[in-house]
Amino acid sequence: MKYLAVSFALVLSLTTQAQPRSDYWQQSADYTIHVDFDHKSHRYSGTQSIAYTNNSPDTLRKVFFHLQYNAFQPGSNMDERSRDIADPDRRVGDRIAGLSESEIGFMNVTNLNHDGEEAELESFGTVLKVHLPKPIPPNTKAQFDLQFEAQSPKQIRRSGRHNKEGVHYSMAQWFPKLANYDRFGWNTTPYVGREFYGIWGDFDVHINIDKMYTLAGTGVLQNAEDIGYGYSRSKNKRGSGKQSWHFSAEQVHDFMWAADPEYVHKTHQVPNGPLLRFFYKEKDNEFTENWEAMPGYMERFFLLADSLVGPYPYPEFSFIQGGDGGMEYPMATLMLGRGKIKGMVGLAVHEAMHNWFYGMIATNESRYPWIDEGFTTFVENIIMMELFPDEDSRGLPHYSNYLSYLQQWSADATEPLTTPADHYITNRGYGVASYSQGCMYLVNMQYIVGEEVFWKGFRNFFNRWKFHHPHPEDFVREMERESGLQLQWFNDLWVGTTQAIDIGVDTVFEEDGFTHIVLRRHQELPFPATIALVSENTTPEVHHVPIDLMYGRKGESGVQHRPWKWAARTYTLKVERPLSDIDAVYVDPFFETADVDRRNNRWSKEE
Ligand SMILES: [Zn+2]
């Protein structure tokens, strides 16, 4: 009964979402999956029913599925790309090319019925094209019933078996997943390395597997009283034979599970928040005490994330040792089980934060990986500063992301954020763009609109778009609404080009009793300037110079000035003070922008 009650409350909170925009629509897909798992061959077969609703204004004559396990085969796009790229992920390298028949991953849909009629299937490696026996008109439902068989690969990345930390199964990307159709059409990105985009729906998953395994994953276990294994006080049913685990999850766009015979399972209730579950291997793990410290840190994380962004809506969250980096999934994360405490907490905070930016704000990650990674990193940085206040970030939460952006820019290797996730020239280019340039997008935006307005807009964006699929422009519109400023120019330049910010103090002189401060734009990106005038015996005086493209000014205290015309290289700021009164002038005095050359940001009398 307890689970039913939780479940009912969740349905109410998750389905009363208003449409974020009058012309907005999104598809929905509810899954019922049954699999029978053979741990000796690492193979499983299953049936899958999908109740699909076409809310689009279009008639669909085909649909696509992702068959992501097919990436773990010699000659796949993932294999070719990894052996071609200049800086391959060391965890992948040429390992896929060397997989034997029993070590590869595969996923085959053996047949698929659409409303009882058999569909024609055409396979393209990790993507399956389904020619429908009849069209699906707008605003109608379709039922897909399919059978599939699969083999869990030797772990290469994210998903698979027997990784270097010895976890038996990390089952991500493990079922035929319907591709999303949005206003730009079908998302048919082959699985090459990263980034996922799914359809919202309810998942009902039944896994029949040997009794030796403790399972963890997305969703809430429905037969906990039967199972035990730390989910209820019932006794575990170790011994020979299989048992069936029944999980369900409401309003998620993916489903992951993991299994290991040695998982320790601990729980911790966050006050007015989710029940946290921790699954890890204690045996031969010298970092077990870090796992024991995790519940305290993660309780603080959930409280901070709730207040910074918005409430976590699901009843549970699981931190699961997957043994290969960290990766986000709805209501759960797979993460390394060994490491120093700050590293483990940082990884857990990052992946759990993705339940807001990926889990709830579900942008198309193959097109805009910088939204889920950049937004997650931005909030993660602020939370990590709270959790580990004495670390060396100079009091600046985003300092390390600024440095990695700056390093890439200085090497002339920056790639624009419009690059599709799998098509960056290097893995480093992808990483710097998605995490650091994405994070600096928000840092710069906060400087343009002012901190208070920024956070209002940020939360409004989250609340309006949670459980939907926004595009970058939707964030800009929210910030424009909240600030009253025009901001598309910044989005277009920061996202669409690699132009950089560099505003410096050129000269300072006195004329007619006024101090003249000449500002210079050294790089291409036009940008507003906040200036501090410093003198020995008074508090610094703050001045704001907007640019004309904003058609307004940020609402922060300080002296406001006429706008700087965007095409003009220089701007002269006149201050009603004699020069003898001013010891130094700083542009961006609080280090709040991604200015690429800070040496010219300061003028001082002595120099
Ligand atoms: Zn991430």
Side-chain angles (χ1 to χ4, degrees), residues 328 350-351 354 373 435:
E328 65 273 16
H350 180 91
E351 306 308 343
H354 268 304
E373 295 304 352
Y435 295 76

Side-chain angles (χ1 to χ4, degrees), residues 195 326-328 350-351 354 372-373 376-377 380 430 435:
E195 305 308 324
M327 187 61 194
E328 65 273 16
H350 180 91
E351 306 308 343
H354 268 304
D372 60 293
E373 295 304 352
T376 291
T377 300
E380 170 203 350
Y430 159 80
Y435 295 76

Side-chain angles (χ1 to χ4, degrees), residues 458-475:
F458 192 72
R459 286 184 198 110
N460 286 352
F461 170 71
F462 174 76
N463 280 319
R464 189 189 303 273
W465 285 96
K466 63 187 175 188
F467 301 108
H468 295 99
H469 306 292
H471 297 279
E473 289 75 12
D474 297 315
F475 179 74

